Amino acid sequence: MPIIEQLSHTDLERLALDRVVPALLTHGFYFVDGLLGEVAGGAVLDEVKQMHGSGALHDGRLAGSAPGVHRRSIRGDKTAWVSGSERGCEAIGFLLNLIDRLISVCAGRLGNKVIRERSQAMVACYPGNGAGYVKHVDNPNSDGRRLTCIYYLNKNWNVKEHGGVLRIFPEGKGYVADIKPLFDRLLVFWSDRRNPHEVQPSFSTRYAITVWYFDSEERAEAKRRFKTVTAPAHSRTAAPPDCEKTLPPGV
């Protein structure tokens, strides 16, 4: 995968159209390294560490689970939801703006679905005690999530020592894809049943920021449906909070 030190508008368009879109349509996922560079990526990491150290992260939510199943047997992360406009989240806001620009270029080339909005950002920490997240689908019940974007923040990460791989099980493929959660890496994949995935146990503190981009029609229908229907028990990942950002116009 390419290493991008600084992304101009032209670089961003080329990345989106030449690499991200073809990979999503062919394989269902794509990752790029060096998205922000050392300085800007380090600023995002500093903000996330500050949030963690201040106690702003709390146990990750589940949409539902079977009776008697302990939450930590499914997911062991701690999370917080941010818009990027909060004080102390300026670098996170810069990151989100860049991802928005990237996805806005991709959006019109990914089939006939309209992608205009995204969730807030979920800042997540696996505390390094063997915590992980069992195999699941982000959007198994048509809640509107179309694309999952995860930005990793882990310097000097050694998979053999630290674990924490995100393993994707692409639907209908005879292989799995193991994604190392390396610093300044952005991963993009379909949120629906095409990409079941898991976070393998982490034995060092593991940070990531996730945003979900919505299929507008499916999201609107989900909002109508969820007003009266409780999410099914087999859903393992809660839908993001109902606070969304409209994307800039695509190229």
Side-chain angles (χ1 to χ4, degrees), residues 38-232:
E38 182 70 26
V39 175
V44 176
L45 176 58
D46 288 344
E47 290 179 356
V48 170
K49 285 183 173 179
Q50 175 61 32
M51 291 177 65
H52 186 201
S54 69
L57 306 185
H58 304 285
D59 288 348
R61 301 181 306 149
L62 295 175
S65 59
V69 175
H70 195 277
R71 188 199 70 86
R72 286 198 176 95
S73 70
I74 297 173
R75 64 183 296 182
D77 57 340
K78 293 184 176 295
T79 67
W81 295 89
V82 300
S83 68
S85 62
E86 300 88 348
R87 184 176 180 180
C89 292
E90 292 81 7
I92 294 174
F94 178 80
L95 166 69
L96 297 178
N97 180 64
L98 180 60
I99 301 174
D100 285 347
R101 288 167 52 209
L102 177 66
I103 299 303
S104 71
V105 177
C106 296
R109 282 83 173 180
L110 295 173
N112 59 359
K113 302 296 185 181
V114 177
I115 301 174
R116 288 203 188 106
E117 296 176 320
R118 65 159 167 81
S119 69
Q120 288 184 295
M122 185 184 75
V123 177
C125 169
Y126 289 85
N129 56 2
Y133 198 153
V134 300
K135 185 179 178 182
H136 65 283
V137 172
D138 284 356
N139 178 16
N141 301 309
S142 301
D143 66 22
R145 283 179 282 184
R146 182 72 169 167
L147 291 173
T148 300
C149 295
I150 307 176
Y151 180 73
Y152 293 110
L153 288 156
N154 309 293
K155 293 187 175 183
N156 304 313
W157 193 266
N158 183 322
V159 168
K160 290 184 179 179
E161 180 180 351
H162 302 141
V165 162
L166 185 139
R167 173 167 286 179
I168 301 175
F169 304 83
E171 183 184 50
K173 307 291 187 183
Y175 59 83
V176 298
D178 286 347
I179 311 298
K180 300 175 184 178
L182 303 183
F183 174 75
D184 206 20
R185 169 173 285 179
L186 176 69
L187 170 66
V188 184
F189 59 92
W190 299 117
S191 303
D192 57 24
R193 294 181 183 273
R194 284 173 283 188
N195 281 315
H197 56 284
E198 67 186 14
V199 177
Q200 296 183 347
S202 299
F203 300 99
S204 184
T205 303
R206 179 189 186 276
Y207 293 118
I209 297 175
T210 303
V211 289
W212 287 273
Y213 290 84
F214 298 121
D215 170 345
S216 298
E217 183 177 339
E218 184 180 288
R219 182 64 171 169
E221 175 58 30
K223 286 180 179 180
R224 290 191 289 268
R225 188 172 69 249
F226 290 175
K227 284 181 180 179
T228 55
V229 179
T230 302

